[in-house]
């Protein structure tokens, strides 16, 4: 069980990586989706992690959302759906997140949402 | 409907919010009959009794902004949907309150309406597997 400290350091380093990759959106999204904090006990850590992902998602222009999602593997798409729902609990960037949700559902289908609902590994 | 009245100006931003809710509801309304594991010969909506953790799925909250959100709590045999409606000022607050009280007092007629809204929300629906056996799923989702 990694403790909160190591998890938060991992998130901070992921944050830096995403910031440096913001010019190439697909790479930034992939980097943000690595190493999800499944074992975290604290809500704060999970919120930090979601913020990193939102930062990467918001940087992608609307027309490219489809192609970025097409470039993700199945597991990454599931993870992205979980992150979208986690980020939708806050009220920032909801417009863009809802857009991502619509495109992701179209590409990944109902199964993706079902897995986000039923998997015990919550992001 | 109050939601639509209040957001006529922002109609194009309401659409993605409703679409997201619709897709999530479609996915989570996969319900089946599941008799209670704790009490013999009882059949309760698990989302209300919350007896066994393994029967409850992850709750999902979809926020459009601080005032408008939808909470969807799925489980194996029932799903609870709670909605927070936007209230811009005191008059809208009173209107929402009266309207939802009117609806909730007639909850029996609506079948899937919950008599009391959950904490922090304006109105709540409870859909169980028996409702899904009698009614079409896509019609239920449209109604909500």
């Amino acid at each position: 069980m990694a403790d909160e400290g190591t998890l938060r350091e991992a998130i901070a380093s992921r944050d830096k990586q995403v910031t440096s990759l913001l010019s190439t959106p697909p790479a930034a999204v992939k980097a943000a989706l690595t190493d999800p904090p499944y074992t975290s006990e604290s809500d704060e850590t999970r919120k930090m992690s979601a913020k990193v992902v939102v930062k990467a998602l918001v940087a992608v222009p609307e027309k490219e959302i489809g192609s970025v999602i097409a470039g993700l593997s199945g597991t990454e798409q599931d993870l992205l759906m979980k992150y979208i729902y986690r980020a939708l609990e806050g009220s920032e960037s909801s417009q863009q997140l809802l857009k991502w949700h619509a495109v992701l559902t179209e590409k990944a289908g109902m199964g993706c949402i079902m897995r986000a609902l039923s998997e015990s590994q919550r992001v | 409907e109050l939601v639509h009245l209040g957001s006529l100006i922002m109609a194009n931003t309401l659409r993605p919010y409703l679409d997201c809710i619709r897709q999530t509801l479609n996915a989570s309304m996969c319900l089946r009959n599941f008799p209670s594991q704790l009490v013999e010969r009882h059949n309760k909506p698990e989302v209300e009794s919350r007896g066994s953790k393994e029967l409850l799925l992850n709750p999902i909250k979809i926020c459009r902004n601080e005032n408008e959100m939808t909470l969807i709590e799925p489980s194996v045999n029932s799903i609870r949907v709670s909605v927070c409606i936007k209230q811009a000022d005191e008059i809208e607050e009173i209107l929402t309150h009266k309207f939802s009280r009117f609806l909730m007092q007639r909850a029996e007629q609506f079948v899937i309406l919950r008599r009391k809204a959950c904490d922090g929300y304006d109105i709540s629906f409870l859909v169980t597997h028996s409702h899904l056996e009698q009614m079409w799923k896509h019609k239920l989702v449209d109604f909500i």
Side-chain angles (χ1 to χ4, degrees), chain B residues 68-103:
Chain B
E68 278 185 83
M69 53 189 117
T70 308
L71 177 67
I72 301 177
E73 294 165 286
S75 73
V76 70
N77 63 357
S78 44
I79 168 176
R80 187 162 65 189
V81 185
S82 309
V83 184
C84 213
I85 303 176
K86 179 171 93 148
Q87 292 141 51
D89 52 19
E90 279 207 14
I91 296 202
E92 273 194 25
E93 235 177 275
I94 300 176
L95 278 177
T96 322
H97 191 231
K98 286 204 178 298
F99 188 55
S100 49
R101 245 180 23 124
F102 175 85
L103 292 178

Side-chain angles (χ1 to χ4, degrees), chain B residues 35-143:
Chain B
S36 168
Q37 294 185 137
L38 302 173
V39 186
E40 241 181 61
R41 303 216 263 170
H42 273 214
N43 199 320
K44 305 186 229 220
E46 287 300 328
V47 77
E48 295 284 349
S49 59
R50 306 194 97 88
S52 319
K53 285 246 281 270
E54 71 271 13
L55 303 175
L56 302 176
L57 298 178
N58 302 325
I60 297 221
K61 187 153 89 159
I62 302 172
C63 288
R64 187 173 166 216
N65 49 51
E66 297 92 36
N67 305 321
E68 278 185 83
M69 53 189 117
T70 308
L71 177 67
I72 301 177
E73 294 165 286
S75 73
V76 70
N77 63 357
S78 44
I79 168 176
R80 187 162 65 189
V81 185
S82 309
V83 184
C84 213
I85 303 176
K86 179 171 93 148
Q87 292 141 51
D89 52 19
E90 279 207 14
I91 296 202
E92 273 194 25
E93 235 177 275
I94 300 176
L95 278 177
T96 322
H97 191 231
K98 286 204 178 298
F99 188 55
S100 49
R101 245 180 23 124
F102 175 85
L103 292 178
M104 290 195 267
Q105 273 171 352
R106 289 151 183 76
E108 267 150 39
Q109 301 286 331
F110 283 101
V111 185
I112 60 169
L113 197 59
R114 200 168 179 264
R115 273 206 178 268
K116 266 185 86 87
C118 296
D119 282 332
Y121 293 90
D122 294 316
I123 203 166
S124 292
F125 298 90
L126 178 68
V127 183
T128 63
H129 64 277
S130 51
H131 296 148
L132 276 184
E133 281 162 25
Q134 295 163 0
M135 307 184 226
W136 283 321
K137 179 167 111 170
H138 58 277
K139 294 281 184 194
L140 263 183
V141 175
D142 282 342
F143 178 78

Side-chain angles (χ1 to χ4, degrees), chain A residues 85 88-91 94-95 98-99 101-102 105-106 110 113-122, chain B residues 12-14 16-17 19-20 23-24 26-28 30 57-66 74:
Chain A
Y85 278 126
L88 274 173
E89 286 177 18
S91 33
S94 60
Q95 271 309 106
L98 291 174
K99 203 161 290 171
H101 183 275
T105 318
E106 214 187 298
M110 280 290 134
I113 304 187
M114 294 238 67
R115 280 182 288 260
L117 282 174
S118 46
E119 275 185 11
S120 52
Q121 284 187 325
R122 308 202 54 195
Chain B
N12 56 338
T13 58
L14 182 62
Y17 174 58
D19 282 340
C20 180
Q23 299 287 24
T24 319
N26 262 329
S28 46
C30 274
L57 298 178
N58 302 325
I60 297 221
K61 187 153 89 159
I62 302 172
C63 288
R64 187 173 166 216
N65 49 51
E66 297 92 36

Side-chain angles (χ1 to χ4, degrees), chain A residues 15-94:
Chain A
D15 193 17
K16 284 203 206 83
Q17 219 188 348
V18 168
T19 331
S20 63
L21 287 171
L22 275 181
S23 48
T24 54
V29 173
K30 267 196 192 275
L33 290 179
T34 53
D35 198 20
Y38 281 142
T39 54
S40 162
E41 313 261 309
S42 116
D43 217 21
E44 272 309 308
T45 321
R46 288 170 190 267
K47 281 204 190 127
M48 281 171 62
S49 181
K51 274 211 189 93
V52 176
V53 177
V54 173
K55 195 153 76 163
L57 295 185
V58 163
V60 178
E62 213 180 299
K63 299 197 194 67
E64 293 180 26
I65 295 183
S67 57
V68 173
I69 293 181
L72 297 175
S73 73
T75 347
E76 285 177 331
Q77 284 174 351
D78 288 345
L79 188 51
L80 179 59
M81 184 60 92
K82 290 185 196 173
Y83 267 121
I84 291 182
Y85 278 126
R86 165 65 65 165
L88 274 173
E89 286 177 18
S91 33
E92 315 97 31
S93 327
S94 60

